[in-house]
Amino acid sequence: MAWYEKIIGDLSAKKQWREYRRRVHDLPEPYRQAAAALERYLLNLGPTNDTDSLIRMVTDLADLLEQGAADRTPVRDLVGTDPVVFAEEFMANYGDGSWIGRERARLTRAIDEAARTRR
C-alpha cells in the first residue's frame, strides 16, 4: 500500500466506482433511470461494511443493464413485476453486511436464546 493510500484510502475502489458511474451515465433511458433507482435501494440496504462486495454488486448491476440495453430487453423483463424482490435477491448474492442484515441476525439470535431459556 502506498503512503498516500494510508491517508486517503484505497484508490482502486474509487476508480472502480467512477467507472461504474460512467457506465451508468452512458446507459440509454429507461435503463439509466432503472439503474439510479436500483442503485439508491442497493446502497441504502446493501453491503455497507464491505467495499469489495459493494463494488462487485454495482459492477454486476451495470453489466446486467448494459446487456439488457444491448439486447433491447424491457426493464420489466430484467427486474420482474416486483423490483423490491429483484433487488433483495440481487443483493443476497453479495453477503449480508448491511445494517438491516445485522439486525435480522441479531433478532434471530435473541429469539433463539429466549427459546432455549427455561423458566
Side-chain angles (χ1 to χ4, degrees), residues 20-21 24 27 30-40 61 65:
Y20 158 74
R21 297 295 301 155
V24 167
L27 285 169
Y31 302 96
R32 185 181 325 140
Q33 188 176 359
L38 287 164
E39 177 187 304
R40 177 177 169 77
L61 177 64
L65 293 171

Side-chain angles (χ1 to χ4, degrees), residues 1-110:
M1 175 182 285
W3 65 270
Y4 54 83
E5 288 181 327
K6 291 179 181 177
I7 297 171
I8 58 175
D10 181 15
L11 292 179
S12 67
K14 291 176 184 174
K15 289 177 184 174
Q16 290 171 321
W17 175 257
R18 287 187 184 123
E19 174 64 17
Y20 158 74
R21 297 295 301 155
R22 184 198 58 75
R23 292 173 65 192
V24 167
H25 181 266
D26 292 345
L27 285 169
E29 291 296 345
Y31 302 96
R32 185 181 325 140
Q33 188 176 359
L38 287 164
E39 177 187 304
R40 177 177 169 77
Y41 188 88
L42 296 173
L43 291 183
N44 279 308
L45 298 175
T48 55
N49 61 352
D50 183 358
T51 303
D52 291 337
S53 292
L54 181 67
I55 293 296
R56 201 164 24 92
M57 182 176 64
V58 295
T59 300
D60 289 348
L61 177 64
D63 290 345
L64 174 72
L65 293 171
E66 284 175 342
Q67 187 63 47
D71 296 341
R72 297 179 186 243
T73 304
V75 169
R76 275 288 177 205
D77 289 352
L78 290 174
V79 302
T81 56
D82 188 345
V84 173
V85 170
F86 170 81
E88 291 290 330
E89 290 176 357
F90 185 80
M91 208 167 32
N93 294 315
Y94 302 94
D96 201 11
S98 70
W99 62 270
I100 198 164
R102 288 189 300 271
E103 289 304 318
R104 286 176 181 151
R106 182 177 301 168
L107 174 61
T108 301
R109 282 193 311 272

